[in-house]
Amino acid sequence: MASFPTYGPEEIDALNGVADAVLGVFKHHGYTRHEPAVLQPAHLFVDRSGEEIRRRTYELSDPTGQELCLRPDLTIPTCKFQVDSGASFPARLCYHGLAFRHQPGAGQFWQAGAELLGLADRAAGDAEMMGLAAEAVRAGGVKDFSMLIGDLGLFNTLVDALEVPAQWRGRLKRHVWRTGYFEKLLARMVSGETNDTERTVDALAGLKLMELKPVIEALIDQEGDAPLGGRTREEIVERLMVQACDDSAPRLDPEVADLITKFLKVSGNGEAALEEIRVLTKPVAAKMVKPLAAMAERLHALKNMDIPLDRVRYVAHFGRNLEYYTGFVFEFWTRAGEVAGGGRYDTLLESLGAPRGTTAIGCAIRTERLLAARGEA
Amino acid sequence: MITLAVPSKGRLKEQFDAFLGKSGIALKQTAGARGYRATVEGHPGIDVMLLSSSEIAAALAGGDVHLGVTGEDLIREAVPELEGRVNLLKGLGFGFADVVVAVPKSWIDVSTLADLDDICAAYAVRYKKRLRIATKYKQLTRSFFAHAGISDYRIVPSAGATEGAPTAGTAEAIVDITTTGSTLKANGLKILDDGVILKSQAQLAMSLGAEWNDEQRAIAAAFLKPLGVEI
């Protein structure tokens, strides 16, 4: 059972003090304050973050039966406000308020966050957001912190560059952050025991490319008037064509699996870790140039913010498991734990109705943790 | 006194009566209680409440009754972590049914959870929303899907006739209970090869949230012993 604390006069004054300092930084950099509603339509979160977030979300229904929830984060409602308002991009928005999650300890926590939406230059956006978060943490009274950064975009590029059966690429990318599960998945791919749709694909074995489509369509027709369950015939045909064109009994090359495993184990001081990845991915170096350059640029930006690089740890498998994050992520840590975090979610705005390719990066500062961290120092 | 909750009507009630009958035990409806109360002959310390199967699961979960007879599916749905809350004392050998993941038969490219995971992810990318799973087993579905690594989906609560949801267009796939699979088949659905979440049957269960003093324990033990259960 999570707890819901009442804040006493001193606590709330101290908290407001930290929040004002953080919001002052946001305002100074042109971020305008918004206050999303505490109660939000539940589907807004479930459709974007998946069922997992629902386990930790407080849901309720209003007297008309509409499903609502206490906002589990303020990012999605803030982004939705921007899209619905029809205002132009790029946009800079910020907030400070309570978020609610069913979790051990307190079921509510204060977050001050900033969102930089629709800035086409991603490198500039990355640098601005990390700088903003660092300045906000410092303004909140915490000068001594370390950083954790990661970019699953690097991993995704690697998977696309390596010899991996086409139908498995998505699986590797989706499950990379599930420790335990991912290792087993990789082992199953090497041994070929992946429990795929063997029967249907077997039926297609030996057919020429041009014969495939009619045979697959005939197989679907055999199911008579069974519902399509929201998918189209084309989707089903397409997926089977990909599988049939690939090896009929695909296996992952053990050397490729080994490279993936080694890549995900890379962890350490930013520049050294980057060099390690460069060496490791030499066989596909051409494809890795762009994402590696982006990461090097981020490290350079951090140096310019007076963040010593020996306090910046790059972890290859670090991705935030809130599912709208798309690649680059960062966290600020103190002895009192994580005080701030953020990252890129470049598909969220499109899902809310913005034009395709509208970028987004943001950060959230845990103001209560900043207070606690100040106490520790 | 202890309270025993048994199904108030239907096959489950008849089969439980027969099960007790084999050990020479009979339930006797209390006159005037409008059929909601009964006693157990020879066991005056037991107050029998006749409830619906899902009410019994909820009562076991809440500690409102000491013992109860209902489907394991309903108990596990009401109490996701049984440990320390409900003890399953005895599978009664009737009320067999499987809780399964079923998808449209026309999805000829899908026969396992790994396939469904691919489909869910592709659906989220293509339609910018989550694939819907209709079910009345919200908890069972969530923990089973989490274990299988499937996350790009959303649950649509279903009160009844879940198997019709894909045809009606209110969900893409379902999690439901089935005995022979024929209702699923009639609705154009198939069970995934590794999609059996739970093989369920009627259970005699004990609520650990109810008050259990020495006297109550003795009453329960005397009732359960002839049924082959030691507590």
Side-chain angles (χ1 to χ4, degrees), chain A residues 203-221:
Chain A
L204 304 173
L207 291 176
K208 292 193 185 72
L209 186 60
M210 57 183 299
E211 297 168 331
L212 276 174
K213 201 172 172 212
V215 172
I216 295 170
E217 293 201 313
L219 285 171
I220 298 175
D221 289 336

Side-chain angles (χ1 to χ4, degrees), chain A residues 29 31 92 116 119 123-133 301 305:
Chain A
H29 289 278
Y31 287 75
R92 291 175 169 82
L116 171 51
L119 185 71
D126 291 350
E128 177 173 334
M129 194 47 66
M130 286 191 297
L132 189 71
M305 292 164 211

Side-chain angles (χ1 to χ4, degrees), chain B residues 21-33:
Chain B
K22 274 188 281 181
S23 306
I25 302 171
L27 298 183
K28 206 175 145 215
Q29 214 114 316
T30 316

Side-chain angles (χ1 to χ4, degrees), chain A residues 7-25 33 35 95-98 110-112 136 139-141 365-372 374:
Chain A
Y7 303 90
E10 278 154 27
E11 270 174 299
I12 200 70
D13 278 351
L15 194 63
N16 283 337
V18 172
D20 287 346
V22 169
L23 288 168
V25 170
R33 172 108 187 244
E35 174 61 48
Y95 59 79
H96 180 243
L98 279 171
W110 292 92
Q111 270 191 336
I365 319 278
R366 300 281 293 263
T367 40
E368 278 158 300
R369 294 246 184 98
L370 277 187
L371 262 185
R374 270 198 328 200

Side-chain angles (χ1 to χ4, degrees), chain A residues 193-206:
Chain A
E193 294 159 23
T194 48
N195 303 327
D196 283 326
T197 314
E198 286 152 22
R199 278 161 301 159
T200 310
V201 177
D202 282 351
L204 304 173

Side-chain angles (χ1 to χ4, degrees), chain A residues 46-48 51 54-55 171 174-175 178 181 195 197 199-200 223 227-229 231 235 239 350, chain B residues 104 106-109 112 115 117-119 121 126-128 130 142 148-149 151 153-155 172 193:
Chain A
V46 179
D47 273 345
R48 278 158 199 90
E51 195 66 29
R54 210 175 192 175
R55 293 171 87 109
R171 275 184 210 170
R174 275 203 305 285
H175 297 297
R178 277 175 215 277
Y181 184 89
N195 303 327
T197 314
R199 278 161 301 159
T200 310
E223 302 304 335
L228 277 165
R231 301 174 72 206
E235 272 174 71
R239 180 160 181 262
E350 189 191 343
Chain B
S106 55
W107 292 8
I108 58 168
D109 58 332
T112 65
D115 286 322
D117 177 34
D118 283 348
I119 301 309
R126 187 182 280 240
Y127 299 107
K128 312 287 172 227
R130 306 286 156 152
R142 278 185 189 164
S151 55
Y153 72 102
R154 65 174 294 193
I155 288 173
E172 281 67 59
D193 293 353

